[in-house]
Amino acid sequence: MSATAVAFPNIALIKYWGKRDEALIIPQTSSLSLTLDVYPTTTTVTLLAPGAQHQVLQDGEPMPQQAAHKVSRFLDHVAGLAGSQHPARVETSNAGPTGAGLASSASGFAALAAAAASSYGLELSARDLSRLARRGSGSASRSIFGDFAVWNAGSDDVTSYAEPVDDAHIEAAMVLGIVNAGAKPISSRDAMRRTVETSPYNAPWVETNPTELALMRGALRRGDFTEVGEITERNALRMHAAMLGAVPPVRYLTAGSMALLDAVADLRQSGLEAYATMDAGPNVKTLCRAAEAPAVQAALGAAAPDIEFVIAGAGPGVSVSNPTVGDTGPGATR
Ligand code: 2P0
């Protein structure tokens, strides 16, 4: 009746930006990510007596109303799947910043999906857990899995799920540059809807993505770090180009982000291979070889002394500990 799950954020190398179906969270295009080993979300779900309301706590305090509403709707969905009348109490905490474009909703809904499924007694395959997490937040479908994961866009609730990329041959890390840890000015959900509805660059973004994903998968298979990096950086820039074309424009990147893009280009010039990617926020994540992450961190720190840089390696999939059923973690679905 109670279960605790831990899930890690993921950063997409091929981005998800835009939905085909808003209610089911079916994306326009497939995406591919690296799950990190920093900033986990820990979530406990405990069933309550029928008749009560869901309770949603973050760090021991009631979660802000809009976010709590999203969590309650998700719990209703899980309770419906289980045929249960029980409401639930959710207690969650993020080790990293929330809503800052550092994938807190990916780790958040991955942990919530796993903890809720377990406490409501649903026995789901990793694929079905990914589908469930997707209903909370699209990117959460990928945080069910460790290392590299691909979210197949699919065309409906059954065919849209993430799965591990089990033929990748690179040891990658991300150096996270925390330009601003504050919450973003516009949610990614609203921003991607605006992009789909108003940006003339949405169609080319959608058209070119399958080829980019195929190139990325080939480069990962061959262990071609240079090509992985080049595709990663241009895919992020193309996503931001699509949103810059929206009306009104969506601009998450700031002068601080641009300065880091310059610094990353300088690193490459000096022979240290590093590539930037940016999500729904100003923070710049620098992809590099795992063995070179300390050197990249030092070089970026020298170029931008006011910014904090955190090294993240490849992390595990979601894990659940459930006092009534027994442990399945850590990284059981890796
Ligand atoms: C990604 N992002 O692929 C992209 C790149 C941000 C930029 O997935 O509406 O929180 O809950 O499905 O998953 C952020 O969007 O959006 C995201 P919803 P989500 O990681």
Side-chain angles (χ1 to χ4, degrees), residues 10 12 14-17 19 25 31 70 105 136-140 142 188-189 192 239 279-280:
N10 71 77
I14 298 287
K15 306 293 188 187
Y16 149 52
W17 195 253
K19 297 177 182 65
I25 312 198
S31 53
K70 232 165 123 178
S105 75
S137 194
S139 53
R142 302 184 308 237
S188 39
R189 188 161 293 189
M192 65 175 86
M239 176 186 72
D279 295 293

Side-chain angles (χ1 to χ4, degrees), residues 32-106:
L32 185 147
S33 59
L34 178 66
T35 297
L36 306 183
D37 63 357
V38 299
Y39 299 155
T41 299
T42 303
T43 300
T44 299
V45 174
T46 306
L47 300 197
L48 303 173
Q53 302 270 322
H54 297 308
Q55 296 171 16
V56 187
L57 303 176
Q58 181 155 19
D59 300 319
E61 304 284 330
M63 191 181 270
Q65 204 180 355
Q66 206 180 347
H69 182 66
K70 232 165 123 178
V71 171
S72 293
R73 278 207 340 249
F74 186 81
L75 291 171
D76 288 342
H77 177 62
V78 181
L81 291 175
S84 169
Q85 302 297 317
H86 290 271
R89 179 170 64 243
V90 174
E91 297 164 274
T92 190
S93 67
N94 290 328
T98 301
L102 286 166
S104 56
S105 75

Side-chain angles (χ1 to χ4, degrees), residues 32-33 145-150 163-170 217 220-221 334:
L32 185 147
S33 59
F145 304 100
D147 297 328
F148 293 103
V150 61
E163 59 188 346
V165 175
D166 47 22
D167 58 354
H169 293 104
I170 70 167
R217 294 206 65 156
L220 285 171
R221 205 176 301 125
R334 195 173 171 132

